[in-house]
Amino acid sequence: MVRKMGFYAVLAYVLYGLFFYWYLFQFAEPKLPFEYQGTKADPSTFLNGRELMLSEEYSKFRNLLFFLSTPFEWLFYFLILLFGFSRVFKRWAEHSTKYKYLHTAIYLFWLSIFAFIATFPLSYISYSLSKTYHISTQSFPAWMKDELIDFWINFGTWLIIVPVLYWLMKKSKKRWWLYGWLLSVPFTLFMMFLQPVVIDPLYNDFYPLKDKQLETKILAIADKAQIPAKHVFEVDMAEKTNAMNAYVTGIGSNARIVLWDTTLNKLTDNQILFIMAHEMCHYVEKHIYWGIGGYLLLSLFGLYLTYRLMNWAVRRYGKELKIPDVRDIRSLPLFFMIISFLLFTASPFTNLASRYQETRADHYAIEMTKNPEAAITSFQELTRSGLSQVNPPLLVKIFRYTHPSMLDRISKLEEFEIKQRNIE
């Protein structure tokens, strides 16, 4: 029975991968709709032939890796349970020390190490792909350093969460999901508060914007938007990537507006002012807080579903999965598998909400700056530097895109430009 379940799980993953390979490389039509051809949203008007070819190639491979990576996690955790590795990790933990309170930490360490090793090939392929297409400029040692930082941050975070979660399971078999969610609220807010000042600096150097003339212009827009900003931060990313980005992070007094130095190097002041006005909208309309609220609401529903699904799986397949009880630490891979599946399933809805907020921010920025030419050319340059698809396939847009496609964004800006010209 165990071998049969393992075989079908691997077969399902292979068929799933073949479907997305066919969808991305054979079925999805990259051709631009007729009504957009020749407009400023048409990539052939601002990308040369080689750039068009590279953007299509790179996007297809990158999208395929995305669709393969998350279900691979499910397969990994399923096989860990099915072939008894979870039971082995627990035995190793118990034999390592007589102190019971360390058993969970040791078990989690072994599970994390095996997960890191199993997923490393896909991570390396993704890194190698970005190097091949000259998106990444990061050396392998620097990339490996970031991977190890990721590992220890994730391990440290779960080292706080998992012991508390399983203690709650033992204390309240039917309500642990609710108590766990209640504790997650202050923990989430605390982590969001720490993100800009503790976690992000582990990866990159942050400092106030060096170009003081540009900072003065940005702060003038911030004052117009009634944002009490004193600094705009730039981050050293040129050693890692050729892509560009800007974002808002943190909450409360730790909230920051951040510009990558690649953005500063490649865009004009007017283009940067549009990007900054876009980011300011997230602050003005409190998108960060809406996002936190939505995340907490989804996590409540997600933990309840996890509770129900874990109990069902252990009742139905506990023997095959080597899980005698949900409250046993051996059920942790099942917990991770279900959480990952639910996050993937919810991503079309969270992405839809994010795209709405980003559309609002684009509208706010163009109304604030009144410079559609700078806005359009900034998006064109973002497309070029990141080899992004202007018009991605539907499933890619649904599952991957937290921002509207460049086709949507540039075409709306072009409409604004035409209306502005008619008014004048």
Side-chain angles (χ1 to χ4, degrees):
M1 181 64 175
V2 169
R3 289 183 179 179
K4 186 181 290 186
M5 291 174 68
F7 172 77
Y8 284 129
V10 173
L11 179 62
Y13 179 74
V14 170
L15 292 175
Y16 165 89
L18 289 174
F19 166 77
F20 272 101
Y21 178 84
W22 168 80
Y23 176 78
L24 294 170
F25 286 83
Q26 304 295 329
F27 178 78
E29 177 57 60
K31 187 177 180 181
L32 202 69
F34 174 78
E35 61 270 25
Y36 296 103
Q37 293 179 16
T39 68
K40 292 182 179 180
D42 185 346
S44 65
T45 64
F46 60 89
L47 298 179
N48 61 41
R50 185 172 184 275
E51 288 170 337
L52 280 170
M53 179 191 70
L54 291 176
S55 67
E56 286 299 324
E57 285 182 357
Y58 177 65
S59 295
K60 286 176 181 178
F61 285 116
R62 184 180 58 173
N63 291 333
L64 180 62
L65 281 172
F66 167 81
F67 283 111
L68 291 178
S69 296
T70 303
F72 182 78
E73 290 181 16
W74 313 340
L75 178 65
F76 166 77
Y77 288 125
F78 183 69
L79 295 179
I80 283 287
L81 290 169
L82 203 61
F83 292 105
F85 285 98
S86 186
R87 183 169 55 192
V88 172
F89 298 156
K90 183 180 180 182
R91 189 185 308 131
W92 287 352
E94 291 172 343
H95 290 171
S96 297
T97 179
K98 63 181 180 180
Y99 300 109
K100 291 185 177 180
Y101 61 87
L102 292 176
H103 290 171
T104 299
I106 296 171
Y107 172 94
L108 181 62
F109 175 76
W110 282 115
L111 180 62
S112 300
I113 284 288
F114 272 69
F116 179 82
I117 293 170
T119 57
F120 183 82
L122 284 176
S123 298
Y124 178 76
I125 290 170
S126 180
Y127 160 73
S128 180
L129 181 70
S130 63
K131 284 282 286 186
T132 300
Y133 284 86
H134 303 291
I135 301 299
S136 174
T137 58
Q138 194 172 21
S139 66
F140 177 78
W143 174 78
M144 197 65 215
K145 176 186 174 183
D146 284 352
E147 289 292 298
L148 292 174
I149 290 173
D150 277 345
F151 172 83
W152 287 112
I153 288 177
N154 289 333
F155 175 74
T157 303
W158 284 114
L159 190 57
I160 297 170
I161 296 171
V162 170
V164 173
L165 195 65
Y166 276 80
W167 179 80
L168 290 172
M169 286 182 180
K170 291 173 182 177
K171 291 296 180 180
S172 179
K173 188 175 182 179
K174 294 183 177 181
R175 294 287 182 270
W176 64 263
W177 59 273
L178 178 59
Y179 301 140
W181 178 80
L182 290 172
L183 289 175
S184 77
V185 175
F187 181 76
T188 299
L189 295 175
F190 179 68
M191 292 300 291
M192 286 291 294
F193 189 79
L194 286 184
Q195 181 84 28
V197 294
V198 176
I199 298 175
D200 288 346
L202 294 174
Y203 297 90
N204 301 100
D205 295 324
F206 291 77
Y207 32 80
L209 189 62
K210 294 175 184 176
D211 187 338
K212 295 305 174 184
Q213 288 185 336
L214 178 59
E215 185 177 48
T216 300
K217 295 176 183 178
I218 293 172
L219 292 179
I221 296 179
D223 183 65
K224 185 178 177 182
Q226 298 182 332
I227 298 174
K230 295 182 180 179
H231 297 289
V232 177
F233 290 86
E234 62 177 284
V235 55
D236 181 14
M237 290 295 294
E239 293 183 356
K240 292 185 177 183
T241 182
N242 284 317
M244 297 185 289
N245 195 17
Y247 60 89
V248 180
T249 186
I251 58 173
S253 60
N254 279 3
R256 287 182 175 182
I257 298 176
V258 179
L259 271 167
W260 286 9
D261 61 346
T262 50
T263 306
L264 293 165
N265 295 337
K266 294 181 180 181
L267 297 185
T268 66
D269 282 7
N270 285 335
Q271 291 170 331
I272 290 171
L273 290 177
F274 170 78
I275 298 294
M276 285 288 92
H278 171 102
E279 298 304 327
M280 288 174 191
C281 177
H282 293 308
Y283 181 94
V284 170
E285 298 194 356
K286 297 179 172 55
H287 289 167
I288 294 175
Y289 296 99
W290 280 106
I292 293 172
Y295 166 78
L296 291 174
L297 185 62
L298 282 175
S299 66
L300 173 62
F301 185 58
L303 278 173
Y304 174 71
L305 282 178
T306 302
Y307 153 74
R308 297 299 297 264
L309 289 171
M310 285 184 75
N311 282 330
W312 172 82
V314 172
R315 281 197 310 270
R316 181 69 177 82
Y317 299 106
K319 183 179 179 181
E320 290 79 5
L321 299 177
K322 284 81 174 175
I323 304 174
D325 191 288
V326 170
R327 295 168 291 182
D328 192 296
I329 191 62
R330 283 175 284 183
S331 69
L332 185 59
L334 178 63
F335 175 82
F336 283 156
M337 182 172 65
I338 292 172
I339 288 290
S340 177
F341 175 77
L342 292 177
L343 286 171
F344 186 79
T345 305
S347 61
F349 305 101
T350 57
N351 289 346
L352 181 65
S354 177
R355 289 196 297 271
Y356 170 76
Q357 291 182 343
E358 297 299 334
T359 300
R360 293 277 302 173
D362 284 349
H363 180 76
Y364 179 92
I366 195 61
E367 290 290 345
M368 176 71 76
T369 60
K370 303 291 186 183
N371 192 338
E373 182 61 26
I376 290 170
T377 53
S378 68
F379 283 151
Q380 290 174 340
E381 189 57 40
L382 282 166
T383 302
R384 179 181 292 107
S385 66
L387 292 181
S388 304
Q389 277 183 308
V390 169
N391 186 31
L394 179 61
L395 290 181
V396 173
K397 183 176 180 179
I398 290 173
F399 281 94
R400 287 208 66 189
Y401 273 50
T402 56
H403 290 61
S405 69
M406 285 302 181
L407 177 65
D408 294 332
R409 303 178 85 174
I410 295 175
S411 59
K412 286 183 179 179
L413 289 171
E414 194 169 15
E415 288 175 9
F416 179 89
E417 185 179 38
I418 293 170
K419 289 178 181 178
Q420 187 183 56
R421 195 182 303 130
N422 291 336
I423 293 173
E424 292 173 356

